[in-house]
């Protein structure tokens, strides 16, 4: 009698094809969901940063630089920045002579959205960078508002772990 070779049967080939198809589709789903979550989290962080910038700009327009500095002190003292619902916040107002207010060291002005090394961890990229935006409140008065990205990275890691378990 001849033994049936399981690996060469049509049933095995069909099961292997479906398993491969499942893993490929799960991979496509993972990439799509990861991309959507990353973009959504980044958009929410940028919206919070923009709101803080508008608040400080409104203070500056209303009563000048002393009011903008007061707003910065209030923002940095709020529960939002002390480990509450949102990641840690970083703000810097500086003029040509140096830092006027905030919890960052003076730096060369850079405009637009960019990341900085986290002052607490010293890490420049990935999980613990500070994503923020630099603007000029007035000529010579620079404002940077940023948030720690650690919670975003942790959420993405949990998402990847969940998909690894599902794929397994």
């Amino acid at each position: 009698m001849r033994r049936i070779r399981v690996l060469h049967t049509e049933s095995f080939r069909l099961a292997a094809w479906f398993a491969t198809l499942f893993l490929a589709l799960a991979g496509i789903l993972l990439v799509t969901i990861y991309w959507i979550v990353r973009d959504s989290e980044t958009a929410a962080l940028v919206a919070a940063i923009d709101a803080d910038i508008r608040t400080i700009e409104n203070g500056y327009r209303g009563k000048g630089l002393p009011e903008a500095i007061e707003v910065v002190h209030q923002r940095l003292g709020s529960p939002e920045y002390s480990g509450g619902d949102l990641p840690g916040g970083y703000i810097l107002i500086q003029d040509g002579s140096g830092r006027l207010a905030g919890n960052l060291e003076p730096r060369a002005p850079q405009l637009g959205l960019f990341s900085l090394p986290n002052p607490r961890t010293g890490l420049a990229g990935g999980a613990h960078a500070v994503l923020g935006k630099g603007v000029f409140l007035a000529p010579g008065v620079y404002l940077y508002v940023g948030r720690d990205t650690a919670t975003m990275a942790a959420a993405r890691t949990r998402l990847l772990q969940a998909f690894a378990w599902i794929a397994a």
Side-chain angles (χ1 to χ4, degrees), residues 1-151:
M1 272 191 163
R2 284 181 54 182
R3 294 174 58 185
I4 298 177
R5 297 192 176 174
V6 175
L7 299 178
H8 297 292
T9 64
E10 188 66 29
S11 298
F12 180 81
R13 277 189 239 135
L14 190 59
W17 188 84
F18 277 118
T20 303
L21 180 64
F22 171 78
L23 289 175
L25 292 175
I28 291 169
L29 180 64
L30 166 66
V31 169
T32 303
I33 290 175
Y34 185 85
W35 176 56
I36 290 169
V37 167
R38 186 199 65 206
D39 288 352
S40 297
E41 288 179 332
T42 302
L45 203 61
V46 169
I49 290 166
D50 287 339
D52 283 343
I53 289 173
R54 282 191 305 277
T55 301
I56 296 166
E57 285 176 334
N58 289 339
Y60 181 81
R61 279 191 220 110
K63 295 183 181 173
L65 192 55
E67 181 65 18
I69 291 171
E70 179 61 28
V71 171
V72 169
H73 290 302
Q74 289 172 359
R75 295 299 296 148
L76 290 175
S78 72
E80 188 172 291
Y81 285 118
S82 60
D85 295 335
L86 296 173
Y90 297 91
I91 301 176
L92 169 67
I93 290 184
Q94 72 181 24
D95 62 6
S97 64
R99 178 173 69 183
L100 300 173
N103 57 354
L104 290 172
E105 292 301 316
R107 51 177 285 99
Q110 185 177 350
L111 299 178
L113 191 65
F114 60 95
S115 292
L116 291 177
N118 190 313
R120 291 187 187 125
T121 63
L123 299 176
H128 300 288
V130 173
L131 178 65
K133 188 180 278 189
V135 298
F136 279 104
L137 286 177
V141 181
Y142 177 71
L143 170 66
Y144 175 82
V145 176
R147 300 270 174 103
D148 190 318
T149 59
T151 54

